[in-house]
Structures are given as C-alpha cells and as structure tokens.
Amino acid sequence: MLVNITPQETRVAVIQAGAVQELLVERAANRGLVGNIYMGRVARVLPGMQSAFVEVGLERAAFLHVADIWEQRKPNGEAAKPIEKVLAEGQPVLVQVVKDPIGTKGARLSTQVSIAGRVLVYLPQDPHIGISQKIEDESGRQALREKLKALLPAEEKGGFIIRTLAEGAAEDELRTDVKYLCHLWADIRERSLGAQAPKLLYQDLSLAQRVLRDMVTGDISAVKVDSRENFQNLAAFAESYMPEVRGRLEHYTGERPLFELYNVEPEIEKALSRRVDLKSGGTLFIDQTEALTTIDVNTGGFVGSRNFDDTVFKTNLEAAQAIARQLRLRNLGGIIIADFIDMESEEHRAAVLAELKKALSRDRTRMTVNGFTQLGLVEMTRKRTRESLAHVLCEPCPTCGGRGEVKTARTVCYEILREILREARAFDAREFRVLGAQSVIDLLQEEESGSIAMLSDFIGKPISLQVEPGYTQEQFDIVLM
C-alpha cells in the first residue's frame, strides 16, 4: 500500500503483482462526509415522498427517508408511522451521513448511528450482535460471538457487528475496540446535549487513518508513506489502535516520487480514459452516466488461434477480470451493465459469469451480480457511498458540456445563417457582425462565402465576420451594428 500525502490531498494505491488494484483520493478542501455525525435541523417534510430534507451545515440540505429513521422502524424494516407523524419542520435530529453528495443529489442520512473501529462496528441504539458474512466458518462465528459477549460490560445496551478483520482476533483487540468505541459514543452524546443545530458532532477519520483501520489485513505486506510528519502521526495511531500493523509501516525517503516509482501515475490516467486495452488485444469501453455505468467488451485486435468461439470466450474471460479491477480502480457504483461479446455456448457463458463473480469477490464494497439477461447483458450493482474517481478528479468539459462530442463547424455555420435571418426580420440594424471560433469563421469565409453573400443580398444588409479566440466551436454571437 502506497500513501502519498500533501497538504492539499491524500492518495492511496494498493499494488498487487505489480499492478494497481485500488486508488483512493481525498482532498483537504472536499473531504468525504460518510460516517460524520451531525445535530441537524429538519428543514422540510415531504409526506408524498415519505422523506425529509435536513440542514446539517452543508451546501445542500441532506436527505432522510422514513426507512432510515431507526427509532420507529418495525422488525420487518417497514416504518411504524408516516414521516409527517415523526418529524416536524425545525425539529433537531441526530443523524449520520451514509452516502456522500453525488452529482446533483444531497447527502443521504440515517438516524441509526454506527461507528467503525478496527475489528468491530458499534451500534449504540441496537442491542443486536452481528457477524460479517465473509466469516463463513459457523463454529468460528459462534466462538467470536461468545467471546465478544463475555467482554461487554453488564450495563452496555448497544450492539456490535464483528468485522471480517476480527477473524482470529485476540481478546485484547476486541476489548480495546469495545472500550474505544463506547468512550467515543459517550463523547458524541455529551457534545450533542444542548448543541445548536446544525452542528458537526463527529468527523470520521482521515483517508490515511481509515485505510490503516479498514484495509491493512494480512494480505498487505508493507504500507509506505512519503511524508515524515504523517508517517509519525500514522505510526502513533497504529501504536494506539492496531499495534500489529505498526511493523508494516515504512517511511519512504527516496528521491523519486513514490507514485512515479511504482508506476501509479500512468494508471490514474488510464483510469480516467473511456477505453481500456486488454493484454490479448481486446478492449473495454466504459461510459459513466447519471443513472448507470455501461461496459462494452470488444475483441479488438485479438483474432485467437483456433476459432471464433474460442477467441470470444478468451476475450470475455480476460474482460471479466479487467472489469472487476476497473470497478475498484474507478470506484464505480450504482447500476452497472456489462455487455460481453455474444457466446453461443451455455458452458462458456457460465464460465465467464463464474470468473466475473470470483474476480469481484475481492472487492471490499458490497456487490450483487445477476446472470445473463435475454439480451446477453450482465446486470450488477455496486454500493455507492462516495464519488467515483472521475468525479473527484475531473469536471464536465466546458466545450461539450459532458456530452463527449461537439457540433461540427458546418452545423454551427448553418445555425448562424438561420439566426441572422431571424434577427433581420425582428430588428432593423445597419450591419450584422458574426463573432465566432476560428474554425467556424474560416468555413464562412471560404466554403460558405457564397451562402453569406446570398443572405446579405436577401436581407439587404452587410454581414461581417470576426474571429473570437476565446470562443469554443459551438459558441457564436451576432452583434447588431
């Protein structure tokens, strides 16, 4: 694991077998909000949507659905009362962010608080003790449950979820987590008493601390940090909460930048590209939209060695592994549609689906994968709590507005001709001056010069052309002189 820290941002890369498997970026000016706890104020209740907007001090009001109001939820997950009977405008409410603001949507809230530690997650309002589904050994699950119950104080009314990292954890690790989490919750409760909403009561750990807590398992052989001050801070954090990790922390002091040494920078560029080249010559095309992400698989330059079916099968198998890696790298979430190359053989389809599920099983984010649809598509969902890598590092193109394409210069020329005709009928000007991009003005002066002359004769007014260097190809103005 490589941790690159500057005052402006923290970047984390996980390297396995020489390839970047995960990339995480957090900027000081725009830290993630998931896990933060606020004393909020209900701004508006929407009975028709069974939701409320809650002011927590962010740019946009956050969203709270009735199903996320823990205090009045039935055992089957349904709401006991409609939201208008539970919340009123101006009412203070303790809430936790469960999903960051994404695109035009505000943050998603819940009134059920959960605080993550190294091996446990504390649920102060729920006495239930749950265990991560990734711990599959039934006898081990029961032993962990009994071990934790024995450590809990008699007066403890909260519950816990035993994380995957707790498998094989010693009693001391569990005891330390219980003590830390209960103490942290007591501090939050104390700060909430008399707090004037909206107010931040608890901010989740920094990215560097979170990856130490959540991602440094037995698979991680070393954590290299390129900042002395932050290395010391992380070492102190590890010493206090996860001493077994301290020995794997290293301060990188080399002259070459850490991400450059491990070839991470080119991988970031590739993770922002629409096209992904496979080793065999096949390609993936990844398109992210507001509603879903589509992944199209093509054979590209791969022709195979035996027959077409074999070529398709091998490309799809490689694509399945690449898709799983790209989802982690780009942090793509929500609905994902993968369009594999059509396969006639049911056996091949089953093998590709199995390979995809196997590759996705390494993902720490919750995923569901459905089989092939009648159209030959694979539907997946990946839990989305934070913005994708592209949304963190990029913004919509000011020229095309995020469409990925612009109108041709000729299309814009014809728009200009129509606009001049419309304005000539509406206004009595001495002259019409066209301001436009170089490519558009060049076309009007050369190939379309006859059209300009005909229009000038038709309206009986001169038309002049002027290049505006700052204009994009689609931009133009018509000035009435």
Side-chain angles (χ1 to χ4, degrees), residues 69-224:
I69 300 177
W70 170 255
E71 293 81 353
Q72 57 107 41
R73 197 188 301 168
K74 289 181 178 178
N76 62 5
E78 293 178 5
K81 300 177 187 173
I83 197 163
E84 62 270 26
K85 300 284 187 184
V86 183
L87 298 179
E89 288 186 15
Q91 177 182 337
V93 57
L94 186 79
V95 289
Q96 185 172 37
V97 178
V98 293
K99 189 180 288 189
D100 270 339
I102 295 174
T104 57
K105 299 173 183 173
R108 178 86 181 248
L109 303 175
S110 172
T111 64
Q112 182 185 16
V113 172
S114 65
I115 309 171
R118 166 72 173 166
V119 292
L120 301 171
V121 176
Y122 183 41
L123 307 172
Q125 301 130 306
D126 182 2
H128 172 70
I129 292 181
I131 300 183
S132 166
Q133 292 181 346
K134 291 187 177 179
I135 301 177
E136 296 176 351
D137 177 39
E138 196 52 51
S139 59
R141 289 167 66 89
Q142 191 56 36
L144 273 172
R145 186 180 278 110
E146 296 302 324
K147 192 188 292 186
L148 178 60
K149 280 183 179 176
L151 295 172
L152 297 181
E155 67 277 11
E156 178 56 58
K157 293 184 170 60
F160 291 86
I161 296 172
I162 300 173
R163 307 182 70 179
T164 312
L165 287 170
E167 197 168 15
E171 259 188 39
D172 280 351
E173 288 179 80
L174 292 170
R175 185 181 289 109
T176 300
D177 245 22
V178 169
K179 186 177 177 182
Y180 163 70
L181 292 169
C182 291
H183 180 68
L184 183 57
W185 173 241
D187 282 351
I188 293 168
R189 289 290 296 167
E190 191 173 332
R191 284 197 292 274
S192 73
L193 297 174
Q196 291 296 308
K199 183 179 180 182
L200 174 66
L201 301 176
Y202 166 75
Q203 187 170 32
D204 200 11
L205 301 175
S206 69
L207 175 61
Q209 292 170 325
R210 288 201 310 273
V211 296
L212 276 194
R213 181 190 71 190
D214 299 338
M215 293 172 63
V216 181
T217 61
D219 297 336
I220 302 289
S221 59
V223 180
K224 302 192 178 191

Side-chain angles (χ1 to χ4, degrees), residues 10 15 22 28 67 91 99 114 116 120-121 153 165 203 214 216 233 270 293 296 316 341 405 431 468:
T10 299
I15 313 289
E22 281 193 69
Q91 177 182 337
K99 189 180 288 189
S114 65
L120 301 171
V121 176
L165 287 170
Q203 187 170 32
D214 299 338
V216 181
N233 291 340
K270 289 179 187 174
T293 298
D296 186 34
N316 281 341
I341 308 164
E405 51 195 15
E431 177 191 338
E468 281 293 324

Side-chain angles (χ1 to χ4, degrees), residues 15-32:
I15 313 289
Q16 184 179 9
V20 182
Q21 300 296 327
E22 281 193 69
L23 272 171
L24 301 165
V25 179
E26 182 175 82
R27 292 184 168 159
N30 192 24
R31 274 188 65 174

Side-chain angles (χ1 to χ4, degrees), residues 340-352:
F340 287 95
I341 308 164
D342 288 342
M343 293 172 285
E344 296 293 331
S345 165
E346 193 60 46
E347 187 181 337
H348 284 180
R349 286 157 70 105
V352 168

Side-chain angles (χ1 to χ4, degrees), residues 413-429:
C413 284
Y414 296 163
E415 285 185 6
I416 289 170
L417 296 174
R418 287 194 298 271
E419 184 63 17
I420 292 172
L421 182 59
R422 188 184 71 79
E423 293 200 8
R425 288 171 175 162
F427 304 103
D428 184 23

